[in-house]
C-alpha cells in the first residue's frame, strides 16, 4: 500500500452552495449547506486515503475543543492518521467561510482571522517515517522552516501544491521535486515559472489552469491535458482533490503524465457534486 505524508493547515469550512451570488445587502437561499474539515493538505490526504493509500496529515490542532474533536473524528472515519504539530495551547483551528455558485462554477472564500501556529513541535520522526512521498502546500510554514534540512534529506519525491504566490513561496519551491501549481501561482507568467524551475534544476512541473486544463513539463518534454467537459456543480476543493489523486497515481505507476491525467479526471468528476466529500460517497 502506498504511503504519503501531507503537511498543511487544517480549517473548518462553513459552506453554502447557491445558484448565484447575492447582490450587496441582498439575500439568497442556499441550495446546500455543510460544515466540514478543510484545507489543501487535509483534502488531499482524504482523497489519497479514499483511493486506497495510507495517508498521514501533519497539521496544527491546538487546544482541545469541539472543533478539534469534530475534525479528528472525521479524519479517523476517512482513515487518515493525524499528527498535531502545534505546541501552543492557545491556538484554535480556524474557520473558513465558503460560498459557491452553481451558475458560474465559482466561489468566494473568507479565510479565518487567526494566524498560523508559530510554536511548533520538533517532529523529524514524521519525515523519516515510512512515507514514500511528501506533499507540502505553503501552509504550516513554521513547521517547514524548522524541518527544512530534514525535508531536503527526504529520499522520496516532495510534491508542492502551490495556490497563489506568497512571499515565502521561493522557500517551498526550493524543497519541491514536483511542483504542481495553479496559474495564479506564477509570479509573472508561465515562462517565468519555467525559468525558475530550470534554475532550481526541477525537471518535472505542471500548471493547472481550470477550464484550460493542465500544462506539464517532464524532463524536456512538454504537453497539455485538456479539462474534462462536465456539468459543474461546485469547484470547492477541486485543486486539493487533484493533488491527492496525483500523489496516489504517481506512487502507483511512476508515470508523471499518466498521474496528471488520472488526477485531472478525478478532480473533474468531483466538481459534479457539492462540497469536497460527496463525490466519494456517490
Amino acid at each position: 500500500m502506498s504511503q504519503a505524508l501531507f503537511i498543511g493547515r487544517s480549517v473548518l469550512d462553513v459552506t453554502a452552495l447557491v445558484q448565484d451570488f447575492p447582490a450587496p445587502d441582498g439575500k439568497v437561499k442556499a441550495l446546500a449547506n455543510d460544515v466540514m474539515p478543510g484545507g489543501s493538505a487535509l483534502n488531499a490526504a482524504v482523497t489519497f486515503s479514499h483511493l486506497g493509500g495510507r495517508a498521514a496529515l501533519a497539521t496544527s490542532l491546538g487546544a482541545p475543543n469541539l472543533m478539534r474533536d469534530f475534525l479528528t473524528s472525521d479524519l479517523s472515519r476517512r482513515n487518515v492518521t493525524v499528527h498535531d504539530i502545534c505546541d501552543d495551547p492557545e491556538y484554535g483551528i480556524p474557520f473558513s467561510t465558503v460560498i459557491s455558485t452553481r451558475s458560474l462554477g465559482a466561489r468566494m472564500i473568507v479565510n479565518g482571522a487567526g494566524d498560523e501556529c508559530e510554536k511548533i513541535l520538533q517532529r523529524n520522526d514524521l519525515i523519516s517515517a515510512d512515507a514514500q512521498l511528501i506533499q507540502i502546500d505553503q501552509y504550516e510554514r513554521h513547521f517547514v522552516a524548522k524541518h527544512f534540512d530534514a525535508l531536503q534529506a527526504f529520499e522520496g519525491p516532495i510534491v508542492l501544491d502551490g495556490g497563489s504566490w506568497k512571499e515565502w513561496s521561493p522557500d517551498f519551491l526550493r524543497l519541491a521535486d514536483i511542483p504542481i501549481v495553479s496559474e495564479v501561482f506564477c509570479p509573472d507568467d508561465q515562462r517565468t515559472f519555467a525559468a525558475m524551475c530550470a534554475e532550481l534544476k526541477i525537471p518535472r512541473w505542471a500548471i493547472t489552469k481550470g477550464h484550460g486544463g493542465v500544462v506539464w513539463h517532464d524532463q524536456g518534454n512538454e504537453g497539455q491535458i485538456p479539462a474534462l467537459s462536465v456539468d459543474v456543480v461546485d469547484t470547492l476543493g477541486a485543486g486539493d482533490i487533484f493533488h491527492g489523486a496525483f500523489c496516489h497515481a504517481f506512487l502507483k505507476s511512476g508515470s508523471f503524465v499518466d498521474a496528471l491525467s488520472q488526477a485531472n479526471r478525478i478532480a473533474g468528476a468531483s466538481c459534479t457534486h457539492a462540497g469536497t466529500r460527496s463525490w466519494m460517497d456517490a
Side-chain angles (χ1 to χ4, degrees):
M1 180 183 290
S2 57
Q3 300 184 58
L5 172 66
F6 296 82
I7 303 171
R9 181 185 62 176
S10 295
V11 304
L12 284 179
D13 286 333
V14 182
T15 69
L17 176 64
V18 299
Q19 185 62 30
D20 297 288
F21 290 127
D25 293 326
K27 294 182 180 180
V28 64
K29 184 177 175 62
L31 302 174
N33 295 103
D34 209 344
V35 178
M36 67 190 81
S40 302
L42 184 151
N43 288 332
V46 170
T47 300
F48 187 89
S49 176
H50 172 71
L51 295 173
R54 184 174 297 163
L57 174 66
T59 192
S60 291
L61 299 179
N65 53 37
L66 187 62
M67 287 82 77
R68 175 177 171 143
D69 291 345
F70 174 63
L71 186 147
T72 55
S73 63
D74 176 82
L75 291 179
S76 177
R77 286 195 301 273
R78 298 289 177 174
N79 297 314
V80 174
T81 302
V82 186
H83 300 281
D84 186 7
I85 58 175
C86 180
D87 196 25
D88 183 357
E90 301 301 316
Y91 177 81
I93 297 168
F95 284 89
S96 177
T97 305
V98 185
I99 303 175
S100 302
T101 62
R102 185 162 190 175
S103 61
L104 300 174
R107 63 189 183 276
M108 295 190 303
I109 299 176
V110 181
N111 285 320
D115 295 323
E116 287 190 327
C117 180
E118 296 187 23
K119 297 179 181 178
I120 293 297
L121 296 168
Q122 189 75 46
R123 291 298 307 269
N124 282 19
D125 58 303
L126 296 179
I127 298 164
S128 61
D130 295 329
Q132 300 161 287
L133 175 151
I134 293 176
Q135 180 187 294
I136 53 179
D137 71 353
Q138 299 196 98
Y139 291 101
E140 298 293 4
R141 63 188 187 277
H142 303 291
F143 178 87
V144 169
K146 191 169 187 173
H147 297 79
F148 196 90
D149 291 342
L151 287 164
Q152 276 195 317
F154 179 68
E155 294 183 357
I158 294 181
V159 176
L160 170 63
D161 175 357
S164 60
W165 181 264
K166 298 171 173 55
E167 62 182 69
W168 52 86
S169 292
D171 294 329
F172 278 76
L173 195 56
R174 277 192 285 272
L175 283 172
D177 299 296
I178 305 175
I180 303 176
V181 306
S182 73
E183 57 187 331
V184 297
F185 176 91
C186 306
D188 294 309
D189 55 29
Q190 181 177 318
R191 274 190 243 176
T192 303
F193 177 69
M196 291 172 63
C197 290
E199 184 179 348
L200 292 169
K201 296 182 171 54
I202 298 173
R204 289 171 164 166
W205 52 263
I207 302 173
T208 58
K209 296 191 167 190
H211 295 299
V214 182
V215 173
W216 58 267
H217 178 98
D218 185 9
Q219 303 181 84
N221 298 312
E222 297 181 339
Q224 185 163 1
I225 301 168
L228 264 65
S229 178
V230 297
D231 181 15
V232 174
V233 171
D234 189 1
T235 60
L236 177 63
D240 311 338
I241 292 164
F242 182 101
H243 281 83
F246 169 82
C247 292
H248 184 264
F250 185 70
L251 282 179
K252 188 173 181 180
S253 72
S255 171
F256 179 59
V257 179
D258 286 350
L260 289 173
S261 297
Q262 288 191 52
N264 186 56
R265 176 181 55 80
I266 292 170
S270 76
C271 293
T272 64
H273 299 267
T276 58
R277 305 289 181 82
S278 58
W279 68 275
M280 300 179 187
D281 303 323

